[in-house]
């Protein structure tokens, strides 16, 4: 693979990860059982990183996965009513 192709693939991967973080973050923030979701996610991450599924992860990969999930867990629960157009002036 040529350097330009590799760079393009890396750009796509970074952009896809950013998009996925936005999607998953929104799903987490609006989940009807937010606290349960957070608790389950924490437990599942530990199982993944320390269990059979994660046995081939390098220490760096484990830390990166943990950082990724913990970043998402810092999202606050969304308010019960979201009205994105409420602040727009009437035209």
């Amino acid at each position: 693979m040529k350097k330009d192709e590799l760079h393009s693939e890396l750009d796509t991967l970074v952009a896809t990860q950013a998009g996925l973080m936005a999607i998953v973050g929104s799903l987490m923030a609006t989940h009807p059982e937010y606290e349960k979701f957070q608790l389950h996610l924490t437990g599942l991450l530990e199982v993944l990183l320390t269990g059979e599924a994660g046995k081939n992860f390098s220490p760096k990969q484990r830390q990166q996965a943990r950082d990724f999930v913990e970043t998402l867990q810092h999202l606050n629960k969304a308010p019960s009513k979201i009205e994105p157009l409420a602040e727009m002036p009437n035209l």
Side-chain angles (χ1 to χ4, degrees):
M1 187 176 274
K2 295 179 183 175
K3 184 179 177 181
D4 290 342
E5 290 173 337
L6 185 58
H7 194 269
S8 177
E9 290 291 324
L10 183 58
D11 285 346
T12 300
L13 184 60
V14 169
T16 300
Q17 180 180 352
L20 288 172
M21 281 187 76
I23 292 166
V24 172
S26 180
L27 290 171
M28 289 174 65
T30 59
H31 194 279
E33 297 188 53
Y34 177 81
E35 290 80 14
K36 260 190 200 179
F37 187 96
Q38 291 284 9
L39 183 60
H40 184 267
L41 183 58
T42 298
L44 186 59
L45 177 65
E46 292 308 317
V47 168
L48 174 66
L49 295 182
T50 61
E52 188 68 22
K55 73 178 183 178
N56 293 322
F57 292 169
S58 70
K60 183 177 180 179
Q61 289 170 323
R62 280 189 185 88
Q63 188 59 50
Q64 288 172 327
R66 184 177 306 284
D67 292 345
F68 182 78
V69 171
E70 289 176 357
T71 296
L72 288 171
Q73 286 186 302
H74 283 94
L75 296 170
N76 294 324
K77 183 177 181 177
S80 59
K81 188 172 184 179
I82 300 173
E83 295 187 41
L85 301 178
E87 298 297 319
M88 293 189 67
N90 293 329
L91 299 177

